[in-house]
């Protein structure tokens, strides 16, 4: 089983739609979780951290389910500019250094 | 504020030639530093990380090496490039082991 798994998509949604992505992780000792956004041929950029209680940033909501070992990202009122690949990132406890594990990403295409 | 600089942005090198990619971070002290590679259409692969000057951890055996001669400088090198070394190389930094990564703009390397 991969350490971090994501549905590669693409998710094709109309502008204004709500879309959700899930990401599963295999290491139950994982400590920190993040969502990144990567535009084509660009570097990944931090979208938001994921907290145990769930958190929201504008149209974006992130949730963590430790029992089932997955995190989710919900995007409301999708914009054309939301089209990108969304990467799930997990940090296991290593006692030193930082070995963030990236999922391969879920591609989102928002259409008119 | 913290910034990360990575150069060059693009590079075309023949097989067997050497490689040197440089990354510097400003605005922070003793950051964790990382080199990632992303092959076309694939996920991010951690190559090296460093928690301090002269301290390098290698994640994948290959013909690449990394060095950290100064606190905020990270260098990726190769003595002889292979075709399989082509990809998008990303330098990143973080404050501590469980904090998010911040990426440079990346170097797109094509080995011909």
């Amino acid at each position: 089983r991969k350490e971090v798994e994501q549905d590669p998509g693409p998710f094709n949604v109309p502008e204004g739609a709500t879309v959700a992505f899930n990401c599963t992780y295999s290491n139950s000792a994982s400590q920190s979780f993040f969502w990144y956004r990567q535009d084509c041929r660009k570097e990944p950029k931090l979208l938001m951290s994921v907290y145990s209680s769930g958190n929201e940033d504008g149209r974006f909501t992130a949730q963590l389910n430790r029992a089932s070992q997955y995190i989710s990202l919900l995007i409301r009122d999708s914009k054309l500019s939301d089209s990108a690949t969304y990467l799930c990132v997990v940090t296991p406890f290593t006692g030193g250094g930082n070995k963030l594990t990236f999922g391969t990403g879920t591609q989102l295409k928002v259409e008119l | 504020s913290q910034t990360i600089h990575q150069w060059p942005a693009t590079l075309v090198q023949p097989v067997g030639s050497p490689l040197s990619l440089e990354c510097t971070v400003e605005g922070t002290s003793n950051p964790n530093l990382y080199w990632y590679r992303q092959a076309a259409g694939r996920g991010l692969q951690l190559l090296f990380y460093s928690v301090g000057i002269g301290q390098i951890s290698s994640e994948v055996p290959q013909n690449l090496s990394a060095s950290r001669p100064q606190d905020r400088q990270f260098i990726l090198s190769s003595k002889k490039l292979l075709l399989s070394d082509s990809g998008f190389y990303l330098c990143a930094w973080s404050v501590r082991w469980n904090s998010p990564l911040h990426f440079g703009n990346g170097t797109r390397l094509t080995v011909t």
Side-chain angles (χ1 to χ4, degrees), chain A residues 32 34 36 44 46 49 89-92 94 96-102, chain B residues 2-5 23-36 46 48-53 68 71-74 90-104:
Chain A
S32 302
F34 310 98
Y36 278 72
L46 179 66
S49 301
V89 186
V90 175
T91 301
T94 62
N98 181 337
K99 298 175 68 171
L100 268 70
T101 301
F102 284 76
Chain B
Q2 301 89 357
T3 56
I4 178 169
H5 303 279
C23 170
T24 59
V25 179
E26 296 177 357
T28 187
S29 296
N30 197 31
N32 290 345
L33 296 174
Y34 310 83
W35 280 109
Y36 280 84
L46 178 62
F48 302 95
Y49 70 91
S50 171
V51 299
I53 296 175
R68 185 170 177 173
D71 181 44
R72 290 167 290 175
Q73 183 185 28
F74 207 22
L90 290 154
C91 180
W93 72 274
S94 69
V95 173
R96 56 186 179 276
W97 69 269
N98 62 346
S99 58
L101 298 184
H102 303 279
F103 289 90

Side-chain angles (χ1 to χ4, degrees), chain A residues 37-67:
Chain A
R37 170 196 169 124
Q38 185 173 24
D39 292 294
C40 186
R41 299 178 69 81
K42 298 288 188 180
E43 77 276 17
K45 294 185 178 178
L46 179 66
L47 181 64
M48 58 196 305
S49 301
V50 185
Y51 303 122
S52 296
S53 56
N55 48 298
E56 188 174 305
D57 183 1
R59 298 181 293 108
F60 299 84
T61 300
Q63 292 194 313
L64 168 64
N65 185 317
R66 285 195 181 274

